[in-house]
Amino acid sequence: MRKPVFWGTILLLVSIITVACASADYLTIAQLREETPSRWEQTFETQWRTVQLDAEIRLPDVENVPLLAVKAGIPEPPAAVDTSRWTSSRVINSIRLCLNAGDVEYPKTVEGRRVGGPTAKGNWYGDFAPENRYVPMDDITFGEITAMARTEIERAGFDPDEFQPELPERLWAHHVYAAGTREDILPGYIFMDFHQKLMGIPILSHILETVTSRNGEGYSNEIYLHSDSSLCYDGYTAGLTSLCIGYLKPVETLATDVPLRPFSDVIAALEPEITGGRLRKIYEIELGYVLYNEPNAYHARHETEEETEKLYRDVTYYAKPMWKINCLYVNSPRAKLAETASYTDDERNSLDYLQLLVDAQTGELVGESSAKDRAEFKGFLSWEDVKQN
């Protein structure tokens, strides 16, 4: 009588082992965070050169990675905006705040010297330590500026923890020189772009920003939302003079959590690009969301602004987990890297600075494409799918 029980136990164990093997190559975000190093440090000897990698790896501090459908999230300027300080307007999925006209008057001369026009000189894409200073003739730190941004975001009626001004996509400075010189005569100002977060996970980009060819095609005529927010800090006024809050809202949760491939898959996807001589340097590798368009839908730009804005508001996007790789990349292994722009000391200011993407669920490198459906959401892998396979 005990034999059937024994064989039943064996079959149950076999079933458990089969499911475990099927899902062994997939991880939760907690498991991924535990096994992933903070940096990828490795040396590659290629046919053309030595490539020394030392890349920062960023993962969101969350318990789950949901699969979300999102839409533009600001129907009108929030009532919480301080109208005594800001003039507000809505731009598609953004609230734009500008310092009220008349509050700032710049002098035409300083000590008898004519003030020239502002000049862009300085672009930064990384290493944003709180103690860094970027504003010409102003001792304010980067950390103090981001604290101002968080305060104004909260005053405008948003949760500042849903944004990450501390990790901007880009920051660039402008100098105000004496006319005809390169000598600062007034404090300058900076602009910067930063990401919104959904469920604690940053929205890194739209897929069209990666799949659209850099060589000859130009930008796609298909419309898509830019989710980044931005600000301007002016050293002359010692405060923020503009703040644009881009906002997307979840409208459906397709899965509360999805399986992710291990970081070793990201390495495996990038190694052929390194050994093939194309990928020359990696700065950061970050896990976040990339937006895809609705399936079976192509949204071309309309002739009128009203039609285009309505389409922006009505379109659904799908937030899919992806790895973004900030790097220097060239198409030919023998090509020299493009020179850094003369107005900055950040080497990313060149035509070879690029963001590559690796699908966090498949481990596949996402490349340029001319396919009509290249920006369409094609589904996702669930934990049930993993167990069945």
Side-chain angles (χ1 to χ4, degrees), residues 5-304:
V5 176
F6 173 78
W7 282 108
T9 303
I10 293 296
L11 290 172
L12 177 60
L13 288 173
V14 170
S15 176
I16 292 173
I17 291 171
T18 300
V19 170
C21 290
S23 58
D25 291 336
Y26 294 92
L27 306 174
T28 65
I29 182 63
Q31 293 169 329
L32 180 62
R33 194 163 47 239
E34 182 177 352
E35 73 153 25
T36 303
S38 60
R39 304 192 76 85
W40 177 16
E41 299 175 341
Q42 189 171 349
T43 301
F44 291 86
E45 297 293 344
T46 75
Q47 177 183 345
W48 303 274
R49 64 192 61 84
T50 298
V51 177
Q52 182 72 49
L53 291 187
D54 183 11
E56 179 187 357
I57 303 171
R58 301 173 182 165
L59 291 97
D61 186 13
V62 295
E63 296 301 319
N64 299 292
V65 177
L67 205 297
L68 303 170
V70 301
K71 285 190 173 183
I74 300 180
E76 58 187 27
V81 172
D82 181 2
T83 55
S84 66
R85 172 171 171 77
W86 299 105
T87 298
S88 64
S89 60
R90 182 179 60 81
V91 184
I92 311 297
N93 69 312
S94 303
I95 171 78
R96 179 173 293 167
L97 308 178
C98 293
L99 199 64
N100 282 328
D103 288 353
V104 182
E105 289 188 11
Y106 296 96
K108 293 182 171 55
T109 62
V110 174
E111 297 180 351
R113 304 175 70 189
R114 188 163 56 88
V115 175
T119 302
K121 185 175 174 58
N123 261 314
W124 293 270
Y125 293 83
D127 300 322
F128 295 107
E131 65 273 14
N132 287 357
R133 291 176 169 83
Y134 299 101
V135 185
M137 293 186 67
D138 191 327
D139 288 334
I140 191 168
T141 66
F142 175 71
E144 290 169 333
I145 294 173
T146 58
M148 286 183 183
R150 293 177 65 85
T151 297
E152 293 298 340
I153 289 170
E154 187 170 21
R155 285 178 179 171
F158 297 92
D159 182 354
D161 290 335
E162 292 186 4
F163 300 86
Q164 54 178 39
E166 298 82 7
L167 286 174
E169 182 70 22
R170 179 174 72 133
L171 181 152
W172 64 108
H174 288 68
H175 292 248
V176 180
Y177 294 130
T181 75
R182 291 292 179 179
E183 181 184 345
D184 290 298
I185 194 171
L186 289 175
Y189 54 91
I190 64 166
F191 292 105
M192 60 185 244
D193 296 323
F194 56 94
H195 301 307
Q196 179 194 350
K197 294 189 285 188
L198 289 171
M199 308 297 185
I201 301 171
I203 307 173
L204 301 176
S205 67
H206 188 283
I207 189 62
L208 278 174
E209 295 175 31
T210 293
V211 298
T212 302
S213 172
R214 294 186 298 160
N215 300 315
E217 180 186 359
Y219 291 103
S220 171
N221 191 47
E222 190 168 6
I223 67 167
Y224 62 93
L225 285 178
H226 295 270
S227 59
D228 279 353
S229 300
S230 62
L231 64 80
C232 177
Y233 171 87
D234 192 327
Y236 182 76
T237 64
L240 301 181
T241 54
S242 71
L243 177 64
C244 186
I245 304 172
Y247 195 74
L248 295 174
K249 63 179 180 181
V251 294
E252 183 181 359
T253 301
L254 283 70
T256 56
D257 188 42
V258 295
L260 305 171
R261 298 291 298 180
F263 185 73
S264 57
D265 277 23
V266 179
I267 294 177
L270 296 177
E271 280 185 338
E273 301 300 318
I274 299 170
T275 57
R278 295 175 292 277
L279 182 51
R280 305 289 178 83
K281 187 169 185 177
I282 300 177
Y283 299 94
E284 300 95 15
I285 303 176
E286 183 173 11
L287 180 64
Y289 283 132
V290 170
L291 301 179
Y292 278 77
N293 290 350
E294 295 172 289
N296 304 313
Y298 179 87
H299 303 295
R301 299 181 187 276
H302 287 248
E303 291 185 2
T304 68

Side-chain angles (χ1 to χ4, degrees), residues 208 210-213 217 366-375:
L208 278 174
T210 293
V211 298
T212 302
S213 172
E217 180 186 359
V366 179
E368 296 177 1
S369 172
S370 58
K372 188 174 183 179
D373 63 350
R374 61 190 175 178

